[in-house]
């Protein structure tokens, strides 16, 4: 059996050089464009027309901001265009009354580096997946083990967490957390792209005060459309075909009647996949019911998804024996029988009630359920049509209940505008997993874990001066956990296959953690502003990490009992930067430092999770956009990300799977009155160390780049697009795991070369 592949199965899951100082940007000359400074825009929890608003949002109407140069080819009739002219927050025009262009531009937490991706940008992007669109944000990296089909299971990494990115990036829908207590992470492919109004990205750990654990690398908030304020009936349909026999269909509809509105967004996709045993069959949907009056707003959101995906495993390379499957059989499968199925459903309801002028009570809650079934049969022995003798079947169910009441109070303190947001978050999650040799056989292990968390938080934003905003906040969160392992040594397959470990010790734990944030932003004039922050955050271990905690085997591979016991990971951040808005040019840049204790990592030699010696992340991120003309927009970004061990045996070494340099660029050209629009995007990244190479002695995953192109257009109610991804057919991979036993041997997970997609549709 390949230990490289076994480790993969058990885990499946410099700085100032790029900090651009605006010496040559003509700031002194641009001061002639300076406008009078304005007061801090007051912040509200919900806008008068959107019951699904984020927790902190400016009260100004986004509709008053400048429109995007190239509107979406075929927006759903009745949906309000989102603001913004580029894929970064600095590319949005300042709203009237909300300060000059150098000021804070959207709902982001004061002092943070933030980005907004609008619905128009999503619609026009040549990228076929949400993850690739998000990856155009400076500092964002991607990792995929499963062929990249529709972005299924592709992880998004904010600020260099490598293999554990999904547990260090908090994902929200309408301001409510999607991260579960397992390690699977949020699968962006299950969110219909047409349902997204905008994506708000806050980098760094300051979001932990408002949203809780997992917000170590940053927060991605996906705000959904709801159809409120649209026409009585609007329908949008689309179909497409692409490479690898990919077929997709998208359908959305909205209705409005008086204070009531409904919306539905659904899509389905089938694909044979880039590799053998890489087929995808998936369906997802989001439905909304909204009620909106001047002093009461309520909503109900229901989601569902069903996914079937083949896991092809890695391609082996071992120079010592002349083996290189990346060359001889790139699209083959090391695990032609492995698979993973997932079914998810959720229901969320809530209301916003005006208590008095400037005060609102927001109460929402919901339930989310996720069932997964997966089979892992090991790597295929050389020249054998049968799987190896190592087999594992997992059947897991996860259910999470939550209620999150909060209070927003907007008032004046000593003549200074103030916004207070305070609330309580309660989450109750139960996880059950049956693990055996094959489907249908009695399980060897049955894991039962339950986790409850209750938190209180307070965050206040104050306009100290008309040009200076300050915010501070704190969260206290108590988490209790009960974990049990029921072990059956007589279960079929336990003795025959290399599949059994000893029964884990039970665990009952109770821990209180806290998060802090302080941020400051100052506008020197209408062109130039600076911001900075300091924060503390934490991450609770996932249930999967606890199940695989404590050595499963000793160095002689004798089974040992686990203990579910891992320490909570903590982080301390500082960050500073500036923003520029001068005519058609806009820019944002920042530098940061993050010190972490007890970072959780996987030991692929002894097959268990552990807390690492102290680590550090530091780097810089810069984004910019330039409106060349009424029909041409340029945008780009660059980041330097360093993730290193601070102490221990690997002190000074890089944390695996983190590229030091990443960059992106793009252009949108409205060639002919929206009848013909051209979009192009390029993404590039430097080399990174392979997983399991903390010593930094193995070869690295190569640097590479991709270029995506798209032509689209619309006439009357009809629209179309033709896209080419990875135009130059780069044969790359972004994940590989190094062998623990054979130097130079590794297993890589190749991603598709050049692909095509053609789509067409209509609105009614």
């Amino acid at each position: 059996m390949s230990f490289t592949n076994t480790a993969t199965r058990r885990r499946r899951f410099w700085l100032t050089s790029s900090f651009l100082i605006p010496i040559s940007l003509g700031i002194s000359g641009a001061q002639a464009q300076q406008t009078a400074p304005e007061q801090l825009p007051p912040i509200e929890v919900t806008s008068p027309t959107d019951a699904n608003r984020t927790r902190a949002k400016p009260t100004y109407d986004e509709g008053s901001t400048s429109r995007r140069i190239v509107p979406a080819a075929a927006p759903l009739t009745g949906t309000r265009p989102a603001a913004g002219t580029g894929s970064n927050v600095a590319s949005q025009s300042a709203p009237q009354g909300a300060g000059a262009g150098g000021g804070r531009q959207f709902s982001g937490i004061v002092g943070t580096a933030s980005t907004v991706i609008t619905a128009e940008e999503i619609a026009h992007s040549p990228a076929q997946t949400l993850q690739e669109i998000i990856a155009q944000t400076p500092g964002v990296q991607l990792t995929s083990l499963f062929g990249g089909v529709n972005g299924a299971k592709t992880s998004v990494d904010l600020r260099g967490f490598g293999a554990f990115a999904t547990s260090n990036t908090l994902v929200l829908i309408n301001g409510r957390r999607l991260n579960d207590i397992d390690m699977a992470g949020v699968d962006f492919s299950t969110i219909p792209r047409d349902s997204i109004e905008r994506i708000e990205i806050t980098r760094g750990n300051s979001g932990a005060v408002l949203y809780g654990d997992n917000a170590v690398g940053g927060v991605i908030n996906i705000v959904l459309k709801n159809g409120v304020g649209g026409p009585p009936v609007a329908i949008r349909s689309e179909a497409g075909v692409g490479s690898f026999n990919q077929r997709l269909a998208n359908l959305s509809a909205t209705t409005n009647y008086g204070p009531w509105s409904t919306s539905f967004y659904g899509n389905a996709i089938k694909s044979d996949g880039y590799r053998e045993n890489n087929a995808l069959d998936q369906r997802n949907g989001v439905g909304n019911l909204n009620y909106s009056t001047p002093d009461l707003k309520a909503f109900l959101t229901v989601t569902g998804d069903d996914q079937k995906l083949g896991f092809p495993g890695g391609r082996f390379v071992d120079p010592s024996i002349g083996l290189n499957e990346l060359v001889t059989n790139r699209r083959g499968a090391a695990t032609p029988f492995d698979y993973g199925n997932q079914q998810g459903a959720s229901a969320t309801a809530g209301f916003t009630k005006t208590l008095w002028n400037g005060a609102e009570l927001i109460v929402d809650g919901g339930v989310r359920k996720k069932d997964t079934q997966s089979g892992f049969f090991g790597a295929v022995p050389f020249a054998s049509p049968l799987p190896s003798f190592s087999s594992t079947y997992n059947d897991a169910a996860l259910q999470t209940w939550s209620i999150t009441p909060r209070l927003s109070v907007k008032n004046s303190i000593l003549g200074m505008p103030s916004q207070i947001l305070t609330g309580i978050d309660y989450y109750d999650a139960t996880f059950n997993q049956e693990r055996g040799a094959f489907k249908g056989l009695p399980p060897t292990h049955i894991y039962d874990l339950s986790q409850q968390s209750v938190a209180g938080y307070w965050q206040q934003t104050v306009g100290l001066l008309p040009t200076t905003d300050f915010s501070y906040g704190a969260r206290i969160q108590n988490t209790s956990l009960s974990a049990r392992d029921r072990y059956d040594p007589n279960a079929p397959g336990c003795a025959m296959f290399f599949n059994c470990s000893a029964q884990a010790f039970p665990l009952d734990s109770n821990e209180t953690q806290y998060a802090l944030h302080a941020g400051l932003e100052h506008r020197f004039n209408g062109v130039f502003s600076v911001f900075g922050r300091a924060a503390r955050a934490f991450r609770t271990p996932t249930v999967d990490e606890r199940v695989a905690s404590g050595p499963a085997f000793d160095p002689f591979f004798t089974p040992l009992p686990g203990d579910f016991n891992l320490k909570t990971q903590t982080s301390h951040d500082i960050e500073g930067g500036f923003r520029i808005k001068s005519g058609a040019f806009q820019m944002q840049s920042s530098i940061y430092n993050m010190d972490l204790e007890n970072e959780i990592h996987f030991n692929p030699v002894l097959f268990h999770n552990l807390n690492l010696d102290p680590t550090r992340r530091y780097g810089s991120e810069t984004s910019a956009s330039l409106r060349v003309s009424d029909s041409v927009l340029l945008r780009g970004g660059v980041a330097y990300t360093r993730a290193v061990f601070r102490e221990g045996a690997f002190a000074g070494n890089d944390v695996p799977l983190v590229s030091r340099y990443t960059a992106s660029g793009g252009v949108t050209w409205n060639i002919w009155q929206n009848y013909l629009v051209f979009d192009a995007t390029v993404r590039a990244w430097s080399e990174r160390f392979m997983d399991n190479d903390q010593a930094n002695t193995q070869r690295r995953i190569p640097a590479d780049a991709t270029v995506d192109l798209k032509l689209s257009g619309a006439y009357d109610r009809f629209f179309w697009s033709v896209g080419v991804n990875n135009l130059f057919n780069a044969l790359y991979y972004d994940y590989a795991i190094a062998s623990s036993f054979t130097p130079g041997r590794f297993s890589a997970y190749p991603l598709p070369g050049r692909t095509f997609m053609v789509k067409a549709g209509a609105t009614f």
Side-chain angles (χ1 to χ4, degrees), residues 327-386:
V327 175
T328 60
N329 189 14
R330 181 181 182 85
R331 298 178 63 176
T335 54
F337 307 98
D338 289 8
Y339 66 92
N341 300 333
Q342 175 179 306
Q343 307 85 42
S346 73
T348 306
F351 67 88
T352 299
K353 174 65 177 176
T354 301
L355 302 180
W356 63 85
N357 187 26
E360 291 181 319
L361 173 66
I362 305 96
V363 178
D364 52 30
V367 58
R368 187 167 64 249
K369 183 171 174 52
K370 179 171 65 178
D371 297 325
T372 58
Q373 309 85 39
S374 56
F376 302 100
F377 302 96
V380 174
F382 182 73
S384 170
L386 300 175

Side-chain angles (χ1 to χ4, degrees), residues 165-237:
T166 57
S167 299
N168 288 279
T169 302
L170 182 59
V171 182
L172 313 171
I173 289 286
N174 295 329
R176 290 179 55 85
R177 57 185 298 128
L178 276 187
N179 295 62
D180 286 314
I181 64 171
D182 65 347
M183 196 178 172
V186 177
D187 192 339
F188 291 86
S189 72
T190 63
I191 305 172
R193 285 177 57 169
D194 292 335
S195 71
I196 300 174
E197 175 71 20
R198 66 184 179 274
I199 303 173
E200 303 170 347
I201 304 172
T202 303
R203 300 186 290 281
N205 67 355
S206 285
V209 169
L210 288 178
Y211 304 111
D213 61 357
N214 300 110
V216 178
V219 177
I220 300 173
N221 181 38
I222 300 174
V223 181
L224 301 180
K225 302 172 184 176
N226 58 26
V228 174
V233 179
I235 300 174
R236 182 186 189 277
S237 62

Side-chain angles (χ1 to χ4, degrees), residues 77-381:
T77 304
T79 58
R80 183 179 61 183
T85 59
S87 62
N88 56 75
V89 68
S91 68
Q92 291 187 356
S93 299
Q96 299 298 321
R104 192 154 50 95
Q105 301 298 311
F106 91 113
S107 64
I109 301 165
V110 168
T112 62
S114 305
T115 297
V116 170
I117 303 172
T118 67
E120 288 88 348
E121 290 162 339
I122 295 172
H124 273 275
S125 175
Q128 293 299 323
T129 72
L130 280 181
Q131 294 95 322
E132 291 171 319
I133 294 171
I134 294 171
Q136 296 171 36
T137 302
V140 176
Q141 304 184 24
L142 302 180
T143 300
S144 178
L145 279 71
F146 307 113
V149 185
N150 195 41
K153 309 296 186 185
T154 297
S155 66
V156 174
D157 187 356
L158 272 62
R159 297 199 163 168
F161 284 89
F164 285 77
T166 57
S167 299
N168 288 279
T169 302
L170 182 59
V171 182
L172 313 171
I173 289 286
N174 295 329
R176 290 179 55 85
R177 57 185 298 128
L178 276 187
N179 295 62
D180 286 314
I181 64 171
D182 65 347
M183 196 178 172
V186 177
D187 192 339
F188 291 86
S189 72
T190 63
I191 305 172
R193 285 177 57 169
D194 292 335
S195 71
I196 300 174
E197 175 71 20
R198 66 184 179 274
I199 303 173
E200 303 170 347
I201 304 172
T202 303
R203 300 186 290 281
N205 67 355
S206 285
V209 169
L210 288 178
Y211 304 111
D213 61 357
N214 300 110
V216 178
V219 177
I220 300 173
N221 181 38
I222 300 174
V223 181
L224 301 180
K225 302 172 184 176
N226 58 26
V228 174
V233 179
I235 300 174
R236 182 186 189 277
S237 62
E238 182 181 42
V241 295
S243 300
F244 316 123
N245 198 29
Q246 181 167 314
R247 297 91 69 203
L248 62 83
N250 305 317
L251 177 67
S252 58
T254 64
T255 64
N256 283 273
Y257 181 77
W260 296 93
S261 64
T262 63
S263 62
F264 171 79
Y265 304 89
N267 66 275
I269 181 172
K270 282 191 173 185
S271 174
D272 293 342
Y274 171 61
R275 299 176 56 195
E276 297 174 13
N277 188 36
N278 198 196
L280 173 69
D281 186 353
Q282 179 173 300
R283 291 162 293 279
N284 359 285
V286 177
N288 295 295
L289 174 64
N290 288 270
Y291 176 81
S292 182
T293 62
D295 62 347
L296 177 65
K297 304 163 193 68
F299 74 94
L300 170 66
T301 300
V302 178
T303 71
D305 61 85
D306 182 21
Q307 180 187 87
K308 298 178 178 64
L309 179 64
F311 297 163
R315 300 281 73 201
F316 294 108
V317 177
D318 188 347
S320 67
I321 61 173
L323 178 67
N324 190 340
E325 292 181 332
L326 287 174
V327 175
T328 60
N329 189 14
R330 181 181 182 85
R331 298 178 63 176
T335 54
F337 307 98
D338 289 8
Y339 66 92
N341 300 333
Q342 175 179 306
Q343 307 85 42
S346 73
T348 306
F351 67 88
T352 299
K353 174 65 177 176
T354 301
L355 302 180
W356 63 85
N357 187 26
E360 291 181 319
L361 173 66
I362 305 96
V363 178
D364 52 30
V367 58
R368 187 167 64 249
K369 183 171 174 52
K370 179 171 65 178
D371 297 325
T372 58
Q373 309 85 39
S374 56
F376 302 100
F377 302 96
V380 174

